[in-house]
Amino acid sequence: MESYQSVVTIILYVFSFLISFVIVLLLIPPFGKLAFRLDFVDKPRQDVERKIHREPIPLTASYVIFIGFFITYLLVTRDFSLQTGAIFAGGGLLLIIGTMDDWYKTKGKDFPALPKLIVQVSAAVLVYAAGISFDGFYNPFSGEYVLLPVVLQFILTILWIFGVTTVINFSDGMDGLAGGLSAISAITLFVVAIAKGQSNPAIMAIILVGVTIAYLRYNKPPAKIFMGDAGATFLGFILAVIALDGAFKQATVLSLFIPILALGVPIFDNIFVVVKRFLQGKSIYQADASQAHYRLLRAGLNHKQVVLFLCLISTCLCLSSIILLLVQI
């Protein structure tokens, strides 16, 4: 009976991956054509160091990623709970504000930072209100579970979701990079969820792997489509939720580092970027070329070498997080 359930579970994971992959793979071309009709494209600008591409690129992959993720999740889990509604609503809010931000960029303008901040925090609050939160950890010395005060649970949950949402968005500056890092992180969180026997986070993670790999089919250098801020913030938001609902659940002090390592490259790079911008008196949302991928380009690496190098570092950090998980087990 147990072996039968294991086979069914494996089939479910494979099905989830394939359905999400196929949906995104099939929908990206028509959404790309729609972007050109609406003039919703990222135009090259010679005066901006961050604009590496030389032709207009559609910005509509975010909607396909959103559709592919939620259709597959609802189809597989049939979960129409409050938590699912909160994740859907939070993701939808990020998609809307991200679209507004992307639309401004197509016109060569910058969208105000405050509305983005308010919406990203609101999306995080929705998730917390639905019961997905960082509650506490096991004391390694006594073995007792340390339940954090409600105020601290709220603050840490909001900071985690907002932080991961932001760092994935900041990492989306080069063809294949944010999608590649997100796919590697999602695979890691999937392995962690499987090891902990957490089916729902595992389903969410493997679906995210499917949508990101399908997206990379069109976003690998040279990219044929972008997901823009709308897609990058959505990916970060879902990764943060998966970690909260999975890796952070019933964690020990040491295993709290597992999801941080799983998202290590965007987290550590963008901590450096945010600190640098703060010291320079700039807004943390002010786009510049201070991220690691731009610094590596200036150091002499070409586009593909930069992406491969950062994905390799991310893989090493993710493997470290899995080793940490095995030590805990």
Side-chain angles (χ1 to χ4, degrees):
M1 184 65 180
E2 187 175 335
S3 61
Y4 171 77
Q5 289 179 337
S6 298
V7 171
V8 170
T9 302
I10 291 170
I11 292 173
L12 188 65
Y13 291 142
V14 172
F15 177 76
S16 301
F17 171 83
L18 290 176
I19 292 298
S20 60
F21 178 87
V22 170
I23 289 174
V24 173
L25 198 70
L26 293 178
L27 288 184
I28 278 183
F31 271 76
K33 292 177 182 177
L34 178 63
F36 281 110
R37 286 201 291 270
L38 298 175
D39 194 32
F40 190 44
V41 295
D42 192 329
K43 302 177 180 69
R45 293 170 60 185
Q46 300 291 338
D47 59 328
V48 179
E49 184 180 4
R50 295 177 296 106
K51 300 291 184 180
I52 300 171
H53 58 286
R54 293 293 173 257
E55 295 180 357
I57 306 291
L59 280 164
T60 44
S62 55
Y63 312 106
V64 180
I65 290 170
F66 183 90
I67 292 168
F69 180 87
F70 280 110
I71 284 182
T72 307
Y73 181 75
L74 293 174
L75 181 66
V76 171
T77 66
R78 307 295 175 90
D79 179 8
F80 297 92
S81 65
L82 176 64
Q83 289 189 351
T84 300
I87 297 169
F88 182 87
L93 285 174
L94 293 175
L95 195 68
I96 292 168
I97 198 70
T99 297
M100 294 172 68
D101 190 6
D102 292 333
W103 183 261
Y104 265 66
K105 286 186 175 70
T106 65
K107 308 305 176 186
K109 301 176 183 179
D110 289 324
F111 190 72
L114 184 59
K116 290 193 289 185
L117 174 64
I118 292 172
V119 170
Q120 288 179 10
V121 171
S122 298
V125 171
L126 280 173
V127 171
Y128 174 83
I132 302 174
S133 62
F134 178 66
D135 301 325
F137 54 89
Y138 278 100
N139 186 324
F141 302 105
S142 65
E144 295 180 355
Y145 189 73
V146 179
L147 185 65
L148 297 174
V150 174
V151 173
L152 197 53
Q153 291 179 25
F154 176 79
I155 292 172
L156 291 176
T157 301
I158 303 306
L159 284 177
W160 173 254
I161 297 176
F162 173 78
V164 175
T165 299
T166 302
V167 299
I168 296 296
N169 186 28
F170 281 0
S171 299
D172 189 29
M174 188 171 287
D175 297 353
L177 184 57
L181 295 177
S182 297
I184 293 167
S185 298
I187 290 170
T188 306
L189 293 175
F190 172 71
V191 172
V192 172
I194 290 292
K196 289 191 168 191
Q198 299 165 327
S199 59
N200 196 61
I203 287 290
M204 292 178 69
I206 200 64
I207 291 172
L208 200 65
V209 173
V211 299
T212 49
I213 291 180
Y215 165 66
L216 286 171
R217 167 67 179 78
Y218 298 96
N219 185 247
K220 64 183 180 181
K224 295 181 177 66
I225 197 165
F226 290 157
M227 60 181 167
D229 278 21
T233 51
F234 175 73
L235 287 184
F237 174 73
I238 297 298
L239 283 168
V241 170
I242 293 170
L244 281 173
D245 202 31
F248 278 133
K249 285 290 185 186
Q250 307 295 305
T252 64
V253 172
L254 191 60
S255 62
L256 292 177
F257 291 98
I258 291 173
I260 295 172
L261 286 171
L263 292 153
V265 168
I267 286 177
F268 299 137
D269 178 37
N270 287 288
I271 286 175
F272 168 82
V273 171
V274 168
V275 170
K276 182 180 179 181
R277 289 177 183 173
F278 178 78
L279 293 176
Q280 292 176 342
K282 297 179 181 178
S283 166
I284 65 169
Y285 285 101
Q286 182 176 330
D288 57 24
S290 57
Q291 278 89 359
H293 45 278
Y294 295 120
R295 299 198 300 273
L296 288 170
L297 275 179
R298 291 194 293 270
L301 274 66
N302 63 37
H303 190 135
K304 290 184 179 179
Q305 288 172 335
V306 170
V307 173
L308 288 173
F309 176 76
L310 290 176
C311 285
L312 177 61
I313 297 297
S314 179
T315 301
C316 291
L317 290 173
C318 286
L319 288 173
S320 300
S321 72
I322 291 173
I323 291 171
L324 192 59
L325 172 70
L326 295 175
V327 169
Q328 292 298 298
I329 292 175

